[in-house]
Amino acid sequence: GGEGEENEEPDRFNEFFKGVLSSPLPFQKCQHLVEAFRSIGSGRDPSLPPLSADDLLPMVISSLSRLNLPRLFSLSRLLTLTSPPHGEVSYWVATLEAAAEYLWDEARREEDEARKGKAGEDMMKLEGMLAKS
């Protein structure tokens, strides 16, 4: 596979993932989720070894972060609660949940850093005002 195929992979995943978002019923969402995850690596050279979970999770996180889904964590919880407890669907739902948890934690870390930065700026302004008085 060439580099062009690798660049198409997130687009393919995103197109399939839109079916997860647009489907009204949880079992339909799960079907589209399986299609989306199966699309990852589908353009790879078949002579290469299959992708491992360690390879897939960063790819999923990257693709989902590009979609910028405000309710991703809620969607992952819904599918966790309504999907079958075993089999391929369960595996992909667990992968989605891991990616959603990572993105949720990352967003909270960024918010905390922004808050700390703002608090530091405020403290410097206060110290400057106290030094002038």
Side-chain angles (χ1 to χ4, degrees), residues 11 20 26 32 42 61-62 85 98 100:
D11 294 336
V20 175
H32 287 288
S42 62
I61 289 169
S62 176

Side-chain angles (χ1 to χ4, degrees), residues 100-115:
E101 293 257 356
Y102 176 86
L103 291 169
W104 174 264
D105 290 345
E106 191 64 26
R108 292 189 59 158
R109 271 192 292 277
E110 288 175 8
E111 286 175 10
D112 288 346
E113 289 299 318
R115 231 179 276 121

Side-chain angles (χ1 to χ4, degrees), residues 36-113:
F37 280 114
R38 284 182 179 170
S39 75
I40 296 175
S42 62
R44 284 173 43 98
D45 183 341
S47 66
L48 293 173
L51 293 171
S52 70
D54 290 341
D55 297 325
L56 280 172
L57 190 57
M59 295 169 80
V60 170
I61 289 169
S62 176
S63 292
L64 290 174
S65 69
R66 279 193 217 81
L67 285 173
N68 193 23
L69 303 170
R71 295 186 188 94
L72 177 62
F73 190 76
S74 298
L75 173 65
S76 75
R77 293 301 303 148
L78 169 72
L79 295 180
T80 298
L81 295 170
T82 59
S83 67
H86 305 289
E88 184 180 11
V89 171
S90 176
Y91 177 79
W92 293 128
V93 168
T95 303
L96 175 67
E97 188 168 23
E101 293 257 356
Y102 176 86
L103 291 169
W104 174 264
D105 290 345
E106 191 64 26
R108 292 189 59 158
R109 271 192 292 277
E110 288 175 8
E111 286 175 10
D112 288 346
E113 289 299 318

Side-chain angles (χ1 to χ4, degrees), residues 11-32:
D11 294 336
R12 210 174 306 138
F13 175 86
N14 293 350
E15 283 305 310
F16 281 116
F17 202 84
K18 287 177 185 175
V20 175
L21 302 173
S22 64
S23 297
L25 300 174
F27 83 91
Q28 291 171 328
K29 290 181 181 300
C30 287
Q31 289 173 334
H32 287 288

